[in-house]
Amino acid sequence: MSEAEAESGALELERFGFFISPLTPPDVPDVLICSVDPRFKIATLVGALSSKKTPISTLTLSRWLFLVARGLSSARPIRPPAVYRRITVVGADVFVRRLAGIGAETFSCDSSTPLPPGCYALFLGDKFYPHPIGQKMPRLCFTETEPAWTAPDDDFRASYRMNNPVPDNLATDARKRDCGLCCFTGRPSDCITWVIPPLLCGAVSPPAFALERCLCLDNVFTISSDLLQAYQDNRIAADPQDGYRIVAFGELCHPPLLDRLRSLPTSGRFWHASLTWALSVRFTGCDIGFRDTPIADRLIEELSWEGARMIPKGSKWSTAAGKEAIRTFLWARAGCPLPSGGEEGWDTPPQLPSDTTSSPSDRADHSDQGKEFTVSQHSVRLTMIPWILFYTSWIGLSFFFVGFCTALSRMMHQ
């Protein structure tokens, strides 16, 4: 894909209505997974990947979605008759997207065929699949999380910090097992690192590993020194349930990776935990919105009072909150006022060029569903301002006219 095409794709994705978490791949994601609240039909992004960099089947995707939600008591494995269907969404409010259409084509949740680009949600028949959102795993990479669990220097756990060398006896055994070759590339290397840093073992959920269980050969491996930072940033992982297939999130500056882990451990429990952590960091989607919503609200107020006619420029408008404020403001300004009949009879607000992944036939299949929208408080406020000004002016003119007539009458009587 050329640079121009990539830039165009990024623009289309922004118009699509979601802001991808900055921890997701730098490549433009074209496989988006949403969870839809069936009561309000609110779509929440729970996963984003680039199919060109990480081809994924629905079978693998279903397992990954379960992994990132497994920390919740209501989570359960995704199995047939659950299916994936394409959906179309439109903007509704600050970091809020509403379902606008559902495609007719279904994709079985246990297929080994790569999932084509699109925006999808899970269904059971014609109903949304009750799959929970979120997980108890921290959305931080090993590098960022390690200081939170840093033990005092006089604590025995301090020797097992992520950046500290692996104990000599484990390092020697790992080099012997791996034949001195990087497990990701097959190149010679003397660098040995942890699969799960022992100091973070208590943060792995589920299951939590005792520190003593982490000090074993299965929890260390040989890696090229130029890949160490990428691994500690959770940009590389191996999937034990897929034959230890290597998964890379984003571009890596190194020779090509192997298809599968070169040296296999006797147990995959640490690699399984590593993959779960990597997915919670790199696969999950629009968590940024919940942090930036108040900022976006304030920027919308600024746009509203200034009566912006052009898209403003500047550093604060180039942030996720700034872009979302502009998007919401323009959507609201072009929206329709709230009629007296309540929600029924609302005119459909102009749809953003939002669905860069669903086909026209998919949208046509459920065109009636596109008429269910929420007019946000911003839309209502913006559309009421002209009426308030009109009625205020009319009342002022009425008082002036009455006063003028009264004065004129008094002059005539004199």
Side-chain angles (χ1 to χ4, degrees):
M1 183 168 59
S2 68
E3 186 175 338
E5 290 174 335
E7 190 172 333
S8 173
L11 175 63
E12 290 176 349
L13 183 66
E14 183 177 307
R15 288 168 137 185
F16 178 83
F18 287 108
F19 278 94
I20 308 300
S21 167
L23 294 176
T24 53
D27 311 284
V28 177
D30 58 7
V31 175
L32 308 177
I33 309 299
C34 294
S35 179
V36 179
D37 184 323
R39 182 179 177 184
F40 301 104
K41 292 186 171 61
I42 300 297
T44 303
L45 185 65
V46 296
L49 286 173
S50 169
S51 62
K52 295 180 177 61
K53 298 299 180 182
T54 312
I56 187 170
S57 66
T58 57
L59 179 63
T60 300
L61 179 60
S62 299
R63 183 162 50 81
W64 284 8
L65 286 173
F66 173 64
L67 284 180
V68 297
R70 195 171 60 153
L72 300 177
S73 59
S74 56
R76 66 178 188 267
I78 300 170
R79 298 192 177 104
V83 296
Y84 294 88
R85 295 170 68 178
R86 281 192 174 98
I87 63 172
T88 307
V89 297
V90 294
D93 204 337
V94 181
F95 293 107
V96 175
R97 313 290 179 258
R98 281 191 68 85
L99 179 71
I102 303 172
E105 185 179 8
T106 62
F107 300 83
S108 173
C109 69
D110 61 352
S111 171
S112 58
T113 304
L115 192 66
C119 181
Y120 298 90
L122 272 166
F123 289 81
L124 279 175
D126 292 330
K127 297 182 179 180
F128 295 105
Y129 185 85
H131 188 68
I133 302 173
Q135 69 290 317
K136 295 180 180 178
M137 288 287 292
R139 292 188 179 183
L140 296 169
C141 67
F142 290 162
T143 308
E144 294 172 326
T145 310
E146 188 267 346
W149 277 270
T150 296
D153 290 338
D154 58 353
D155 192 296
F156 76 100
R157 295 174 298 169
S159 61
Y160 302 116
R161 288 194 177 99
M162 179 176 57
N163 294 325
N164 281 27
V166 174
D168 290 340
N169 62 322
L170 289 181
T172 300
D173 291 343
R175 290 188 184 97
K176 182 178 179 180
R177 180 198 62 193
D178 301 337
C179 302
L181 301 176
C182 172
C183 292
F184 288 142
T185 65
R187 294 186 300 165
S189 177
D190 289 329
C191 183
I192 307 294
T193 193
W194 303 101
V195 179
I196 290 287
L199 203 58
L200 301 182
C201 60
V204 178
S205 172
F209 298 117
L211 178 63
E212 294 75 16
R213 293 182 60 196
C214 288
L215 308 181
C216 65
L217 183 60
D218 283 340
N219 193 31
V220 295
F221 70 106
T222 307
I223 185 173
S224 297
S225 57
D226 55 353
L227 285 181
L228 183 59
Q229 184 65 43
Y231 180 76
Q232 293 177 350
D233 285 340
N234 296 109
R235 290 190 284 127
I236 316 174
D239 190 343
Q241 292 181 265
D242 193 10
Y244 290 92
R245 181 169 68 94
I246 296 173
V247 182
F249 297 91
E251 287 286 0
L252 301 172
C253 299
H254 58 77
L257 297 174
L258 300 173
D259 290 334
R260 302 184 184 278
L261 212 61
R262 185 186 179 280
S263 182
L264 305 183
T266 56
S267 170
R269 64 186 187 276
F270 295 105
W271 286 103
H272 191 272
S274 173
L275 173 66
T276 302
W277 197 309
L279 289 173
S280 73
V281 173
R282 300 289 170 183
F283 179 62
T284 48
C286 201
D287 54 317
I288 189 172
F290 301 106
R291 298 194 301 269
D292 287 356
T293 297
I295 302 174
D297 280 331
R298 290 197 296 271
L299 293 176
I300 290 174
E301 292 285 351
E302 182 177 330
L303 288 170
S304 302
W305 288 111
E306 290 183 357
R309 298 296 176 186
M310 299 179 63
I311 297 178
K313 304 292 184 181
S315 58
K316 69 179 179 181
W317 301 105
S318 62
T319 62
K323 292 178 181 179
E324 181 70 356
I326 293 172
R327 186 205 65 80
T328 307
F329 174 77
L330 295 178
W331 180 87
R333 190 170 67 181
C336 300
L338 180 65
S340 58
E343 290 194 11
E344 294 183 4
W346 285 7
D347 291 329
T348 302
Q351 180 172 328
L352 297 171
S354 58
D355 188 14
T356 62
T357 52
S358 296
S359 64
S361 60
D362 289 340
R363 293 192 292 270
D365 290 333
H366 295 266
S367 59
D368 290 341
Q369 299 188 38
K371 296 184 179 180
E372 300 181 25
F373 294 93
T374 298
V375 174
S376 69
Q377 58 178 335
H378 308 297
S379 178
V380 173
R381 179 171 65 247
L382 290 173
T383 52
M384 287 180 62
I385 289 175
W387 291 104
I388 292 173
L389 294 175
F390 172 76
Y391 284 118
T392 302
S393 302
W394 184 81
I395 292 172
L397 288 174
S398 298
F399 278 114
F400 174 78
F401 181 73
V402 170
F404 176 77
C405 292
T406 302
L408 183 62
S409 176
R410 288 175 179 173
M411 290 177 60
M412 293 178 63
H413 282 87
Q414 290 176 356

